[in-house]
């Protein structure tokens, strides 16, 4: 795990190194620099995980001097690939996975990516052709940002290094700001800077010696979704899921440094700890974090799992002072406003666990493949019910009709996508007409957002509606979560690994029928659900992540497997409301967003006045997002720099 930087231009070595060292937190153990070809500067900050010897540093040249690479990530099956390449005649000078990656590329070309099990963002330069290739892993676990303008071209693990080298000041991407308030993240092809874009997951970018670029998609999950889901018993599917989770976890325990795990006490992290305990010869180290507010930590559940597997367990208790003091620091580390409130606790937990481990396993990705967001995924059934209401087949006075109207009022959804966007959109900007200005609601911008979702729906026409929802979550929601875990761990020089994003497990999960992932509790429960909407049905009459629970029914207590889903709780409407509201009053009314006509001052003051003493969770979240965006803009687009 590391930070990488590349830049085409005549510039001094020191200027380049200054930009590279902005990522020192990603790689505190070592660094490397090399200038290759026609003014291509390559840099690397190293966090030593596998082969701690200094001779394994990067940039690394291999394949008999033909290729030079900088690489961020891990190829977990590198030992098997090394054996194959050795049999093919390659000789190795190091013990790690970077040289395996380079030689694999030399041997297989871009087909090497199909052999990799891992997380990666890398660049490979060919000394013969002068071609540079960038690659990012299948689901975007590791970040890779690209800058391209006129003859300038650069790439980096973090935006800040590119901002330091760009010849001009950046400009704000309004579409990303709009998507942030609507969905909590920019969508897949955006950063908050117009000039810098992420390389999409599962893609390659080629830059030829004459500066021409082309992008190519090398991985498409929809090609692994069958036209008809396999009919399989819950028991059989559970066996296969358990085996895949075990394999994914064991591969991610490979390291030459101490390894631990986040343990929230939920199903996902608990399953990983169970798998680690089965595979480990030493005591597993586990970490949990929470607030002192009643109901805002899950320590008791985490302790059950820690005690069951006799882990070396650490609990970290947060105060609201810890939270506010570190929120702005994390925005600068991430080069973006925070998307979810629990990013700050994750940062603080990473700093604590760095004292004990360098690698941590985390449970991101399970909800997206096993239907963990039950209230939303079960609501896919509502669309079929609504169509009956629209056609007059279902009476508005019936029990179901009344329930549908209570949830959706008189809204009419022409397509599944319309219905999904209504459910998925976190904030509807049109519901705050006095707060958000037209700058964030231009027709072309909103159409572009819709087209991102529409493209994903169209990629898997063979899937049922709930599976299309999950496909969108895997491609639009998950990358935001992965960016969160990358930023918060790498800020402390910790490598996070995510077993549930192993592509073998993801592909298998998407091959399963939905009733294996969201199972009915009984035939009677299924019958009762016909009169209800999905938000009421979920976890009352069905069981989200049923196959994962089946897979670990003998490994985890009932109280862990079958308790209701709880997100990482942060008391925005509790102990944090007053200090957050105070900060909002201090920075927002005369802030950058008001001066840039992103929000209305009058509408803002009305919002803050109405929520002065208390706020609903949703209103508290809106205020939190406004504060985040303001802090971000003040740092990256200060008012004295001119109009955004």
């Amino acid at each position: 795990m590391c930070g990488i930087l590349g830049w085409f231009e005549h510039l001094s070595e020191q200027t380049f190194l200054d930009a590279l060292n902005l990522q020192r937190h990603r790689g505190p153990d070592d660094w490397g620099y090399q200038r290759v070809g026609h003014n291509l500067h390559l840099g690397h900050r190293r966090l030593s995980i596998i082969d701690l010897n200094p001779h394994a540093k990067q940039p690394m040249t291999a394949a008999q001097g033909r290729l030079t690479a900088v690489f961020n990530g891990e190829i977990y099956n590198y030992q098997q690939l090394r054996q194959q390449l050795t049999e093919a005649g390659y000789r190795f000078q190091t013990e790690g996975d970077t040289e395996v990656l380079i030689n694999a590329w030399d041997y297989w070309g871009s087909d090497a990516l199909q052999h990799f099990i891992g997380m990666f963002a890398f660049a490979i330069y060919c000394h013969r052709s002068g071609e540079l290739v960038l690659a990012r892993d299948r689901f975007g676990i590791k970040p890779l940002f690209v800058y391209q303008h006129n003859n300038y071209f650069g790439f980096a693990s973090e935006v800040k290094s590119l901002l330091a080298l760009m010849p001009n000041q950046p400009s704000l991407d309004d579409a990303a700001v709009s998507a942030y308030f609507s969905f909590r993240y920019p969508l897949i092809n955006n950063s908050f800077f117009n000039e810098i874009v992420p390389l999409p997951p599962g893609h390659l970018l080629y830059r030829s010696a004459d500066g021409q670029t082309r992008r190519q998609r090398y991985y498409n999950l929809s090609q692994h979704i069958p036209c008809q889901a396999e009919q399989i018993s819950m028991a059989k599917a559970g066996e296969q899921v358990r085996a895949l989770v075990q394999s994914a976890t064991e591969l991610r325990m490979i390291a030459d440094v101490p390894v631990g795990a986040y343990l929230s006490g939920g199903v996902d992290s608990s399953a990983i700890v169970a798998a680690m305990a089965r595979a480990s010869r030493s005591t597993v180290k586990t970490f949990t974090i929470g607030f002192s507010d009643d109901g805002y930590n899950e320590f008791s559940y985490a302790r059950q799992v820690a005690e069951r597997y006799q882990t070396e367990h650490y609990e970290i208790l947060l105060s609201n002072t810890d939270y506010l003091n570190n929120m702005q620091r994390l925005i600068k580390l991430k080069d973006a406003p925070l998307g979810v409130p629990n990013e700050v606790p994750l940062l603080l937990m990473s700093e604590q666990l760095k004292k004990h481990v360098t690698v941590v396993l985390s449970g991101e990705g399970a909800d997206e493949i096993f239907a963990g967001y039950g209230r939303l995924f079960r609501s896919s059934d509502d669309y079929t019910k609504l169509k009956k209401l629209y056609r007059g087949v279902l009476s508005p006075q019936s029990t179901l009709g009344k329930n549908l109207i209570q949830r959706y009022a008189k809204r009419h959804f022409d397509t599944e996508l319309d219905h999904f966007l209504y459910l998925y959109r976190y904030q509807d900007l049109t519901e705050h007409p006095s707060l958000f200005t037209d700058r964030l609601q231009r027709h072309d911008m909103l159409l572009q957002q819709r087209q991102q979702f529409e493209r994903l729906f169209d990629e898997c026409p063979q899937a049922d509606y709930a599976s299309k929802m999950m496909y969108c979550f895997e491609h639009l929601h998950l990358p935001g979560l992965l960016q969160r875990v990358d930023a918060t761990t790498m800020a402390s020089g910790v490598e996070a690994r995510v077993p549930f994003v192993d592509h073998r497990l993801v592909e298998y999960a998407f091959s399963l029928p939905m009733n294996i992932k969201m199972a009915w509790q009984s035939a009677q429960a299924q019958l009762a659900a016909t009169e209800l909407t999905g938000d009421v049905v979920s976890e009352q009459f069905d069981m989200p992540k049923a196959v994962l629970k089946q897979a670990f029914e003998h490994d985890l207590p009932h109280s862990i497997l079958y308790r209701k889903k709880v997100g990482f709780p942060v008391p925005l409407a509790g102990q944090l409301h007053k200090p957050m509201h105070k900060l909002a009053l201090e920075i927002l009314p005369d802030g950058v967003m008001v001066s840039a006509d992103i929000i209305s001052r009058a509408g803002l003051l009305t919002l803050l006045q109405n929520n002065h003493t208390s706020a609903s969770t949703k209103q508290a979240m809106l205020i939190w997002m406004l504060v985040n965006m303001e802090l971000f803009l003040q740092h990256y687009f200060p008012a004295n720099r001119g109009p955004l």
Side-chain angles (χ1 to χ4, degrees):
M1 185 75 68
C2 307
I4 64 175
L5 176 63
W7 191 262
F8 274 103
E9 190 200 350
H10 292 282
L11 50 73
S12 71
E13 178 179 337
Q14 189 58 52
T15 298
F16 180 84
L17 291 179
D18 288 344
L20 173 65
N21 288 332
L22 294 173
Q23 300 183 59
R24 182 182 284 108
H25 50 276
R26 296 188 71 90
D29 297 331
D30 204 347
W31 64 276
Y33 165 80
Q34 191 172 343
R35 183 171 171 176
V36 299
H38 298 289
N39 296 310
L40 171 58
H41 302 260
L42 294 174
H44 185 264
R45 291 291 323 191
R46 185 183 185 196
L47 176 64
S48 301
I49 302 291
I50 294 173
D51 189 359
L52 309 185
N53 196 304
H55 72 276
K57 67 188 294 184
Q58 303 176 38
M60 181 181 289
T61 299
Q64 295 184 325
R66 290 187 291 271
L67 302 173
T68 296
V70 285
F71 166 41
N72 171 30
E74 304 287 351
I75 308 299
Y76 300 120
N77 61 331
Y78 76 97
Q79 292 169 333
Q80 294 89 339
L81 297 178
R82 179 189 176 110
Q83 181 61 36
Q84 288 181 255
L85 293 166
T86 299
E87 292 171 359
Y90 286 86
R91 297 293 176 264
F92 290 84
Q93 305 302 314
T94 64
E95 300 300 322
D97 55 351
T98 304
E99 191 177 10
V100 171
L101 182 151
I102 297 171
N103 287 336
W105 193 271
D106 184 66
Y107 185 57
W108 286 302
S110 62
D111 286 344
L113 296 165
Q114 308 305 328
H115 294 262
F116 295 162
I117 300 174
M119 55 181 185
F120 49 83
F122 62 81
I124 291 185
Y125 177 77
C126 177
H127 292 269
R128 289 178 175 176
S129 66
E131 181 179 67
L132 177 73
V133 184
L134 309 182
R136 193 172 178 207
D137 63 61
R138 296 168 178 87
F139 299 109
I141 304 170
K142 303 318 302 169
L144 188 59
F145 296 94
V146 179
Y147 171 81
Q148 186 173 6
H149 182 68
N150 295 332
N151 293 325
Y152 295 100
F153 182 90
F155 61 88
S157 299
E158 295 188 2
V159 164
K160 56 177 62 67
S161 291
L162 297 176
L163 293 175
L165 296 176
M166 285 169 48
N168 300 310
Q169 291 287 342
S171 58
L172 183 66
D173 187 331
D174 287 355
V177 177
S178 178
Y180 172 77
F181 284 113
S182 296
F183 306 112
R184 297 190 289 180
Y185 303 102
L187 299 181
I188 196 166
N189 291 324
N190 296 77
S191 77
F192 287 95
F193 306 90
N194 278 311
E195 298 79 7
I196 298 172
V197 297
L199 180 64
H203 279 71
L204 294 160
L205 180 65
Y206 294 89
R207 186 184 190 275
S208 63
D210 62 2
Q212 299 299 308
T213 61
R214 62 183 176 90
R215 203 169 72 184
Q216 175 187 335
R217 187 176 187 179
Y218 72 84
Y219 181 78
N220 188 337
L221 175 59
S222 67
Q223 295 174 355
H224 300 274
I225 301 176
C227 292
Q228 186 171 356
E230 178 186 0
Q231 294 307 305
I232 187 172
S233 70
M234 181 70 77
K236 187 67 174 176
E239 288 177 10
Q240 186 63 20
V241 166
R242 189 176 191 271
L244 284 167
V245 172
Q246 187 68 37
S247 172
T249 300
E250 289 182 12
L251 282 175
R252 285 156 182 80
M253 293 173 68
I254 297 172
D256 294 328
V257 293
V259 179
Y262 289 140
L263 178 58
S264 70
V267 176
D268 310 335
S269 63
S270 299
I272 289 173
V273 170
M276 291 178 73
R278 275 197 300 273
S280 180
R281 295 180 179 177
S282 57
T283 302
V284 175
K285 294 180 173 66
T286 54
F287 304 84
T288 189
I289 192 166
F291 289 84
S292 57
D293 270 26
D294 187 33
Y296 284 93
N297 69 64
E298 299 178 275
F299 288 172
S300 62
Y301 294 103
R303 286 175 198 147
Q304 290 183 44
V305 180
E307 290 169 5
R308 184 182 184 105
Y309 290 104
Q310 296 295 297
T311 71
E312 185 179 320
H313 189 56
Y314 299 87
E315 295 178 350
I316 303 160
L317 192 65
L318 288 181
S319 70
N320 55 10
T321 302
D322 294 328
Y323 191 96
L324 292 172
N325 287 345
N326 286 282
M327 187 169 71
Q328 189 165 3
R329 180 167 69 96
L330 182 53
I331 290 169
K332 295 176 183 178
L333 285 165
K334 189 179 177 183
D335 302 315
L338 310 187
V340 286
N342 61 32
E343 292 182 62
V344 174
L346 286 174
L347 172 71
L348 297 175
M349 182 159 61
S350 297
E351 291 176 343
Q352 291 300 312
L353 65 85
K354 178 64 174 177
K355 300 173 183 178
H356 308 278
V357 301
T358 304
V359 172
V360 64
L361 273 60
S362 187
E364 277 78 9
D367 288 322
E368 289 74 17
I369 62 175
F370 294 124
Y373 305 112
R375 286 168 57 89
L376 194 149
F377 295 140
R378 179 56 69 189
S379 295
S380 61
D381 296 340
D382 291 357
Y383 182 69
T384 302
K385 298 172 181 177
L386 282 165
K387 286 197 295 184
K388 293 179 181 179
L389 187 66
Y390 301 153
R391 295 198 304 265
V393 176
L394 177 67
S395 169
Q397 300 306 314
S398 65
T399 301
L400 176 57
K402 290 178 180 178
N403 287 334
L404 289 169
I405 291 169
Q406 181 179 358
R407 184 177 191 192
Y408 296 103
K410 295 183 179 179
R411 293 180 179 87
H412 190 285
F413 306 105
D414 292 328
T415 65
E416 292 173 343
L417 180 59
D418 293 324
H419 181 244
F420 174 66
L421 287 173
Y422 169 74
L423 294 170
Y424 182 69
R425 189 176 282 111
Y426 195 79
Q427 300 276 357
D428 186 344
L429 302 192
T430 63
E431 293 181 358
H432 304 278
S434 63
L435 177 63
F436 294 105
T437 69
D438 292 342
R439 177 170 178 174
L440 299 188
Q441 300 183 71
R442 298 197 320 267
H443 175 73
D444 63 319
M445 194 159 61
L446 299 180
L447 179 62
Q448 182 187 44
Q449 290 178 7
R450 179 187 174 86
Q451 288 172 342
Q452 292 266 28
F453 292 92
E454 191 170 36
R455 175 181 60 81
L456 292 170
F457 265 53
D458 290 345
E459 278 189 4
C460 50
Q462 74 275 33
D464 59 79
Y465 176 24
S467 295
K468 290 177 183 176
M469 285 185 173
M470 292 175 62
Y471 191 80
C472 273
F473 266 79
E474 190 71 13
H475 289 84
L476 292 177
H477 187 78
L478 179 62
L481 299 182
L482 295 173
Q483 184 188 26
R484 172 195 71 177
V485 75
D486 177 83
T488 54
T489 53
M490 291 308 296
S492 305
V494 173
E495 174 173 292
R497 298 177 175 180
V498 280
F500 287 111
V501 195
D502 187 300
H503 73 279
R504 301 168 301 162
L505 179 59
V506 173
E507 290 167 8
Y508 182 73
F510 269 91
S511 76
L512 294 173
M514 190 55 66
N515 63 5
I516 292 288
K517 290 173 274 195
M518 285 194 300
W520 294 107
Q521 294 182 5
S522 67
Q524 293 80 6
Q526 184 177 6
L527 181 62
T530 59
E531 298 294 318
L532 303 170
T533 54
D535 56 330
V536 177
V537 170
S538 179
E539 297 192 85
Q540 297 294 328
F541 298 90
D542 72 357
M543 186 193 305
K545 293 197 280 198
V547 69
L548 182 61
K549 295 171 183 178
Q550 168 74 25
F552 286 87
E553 65 174 349
H554 299 301
D555 300 280
L556 297 171
H558 187 278
S559 57
I560 298 295
L561 287 175
Y562 298 105
R563 70 186 182 99
K564 289 187 177 181
K565 178 178 175 58
V566 178
F568 194 141
V570 175
L572 290 182
Q575 65 169 280
L576 281 174
H577 177 66
K578 287 185 178 179
M580 189 65 66
H581 191 275
K582 180 175 182 291
L583 179 59
L585 279 172
E586 289 174 356
I587 68 173
L588 291 176
D590 298 309
V592 178
M593 282 193 292
V594 169
S595 65
D597 196 34
I598 292 171
I599 60 173
S600 158
R601 191 176 193 275
L604 170 69
L605 293 175
T606 299
L607 171 70
L608 295 178
Q609 180 61 38
N610 290 343
N611 294 276
H612 177 64
T613 57
S614 64
S616 68
T617 300
K618 192 160 188 177
Q619 293 296 88
M621 181 69 179
L622 175 57
I623 293 170
W624 178 87
M625 294 178 79
L626 290 166
V627 168
N628 264 272
M629 181 58 71
E630 181 64 32
L631 292 173
F632 167 75
L633 293 175
Q634 286 183 7
H635 181 71
Y636 292 91
F637 300 94
N640 60 6
R641 204 205 69 186
L644 300 185

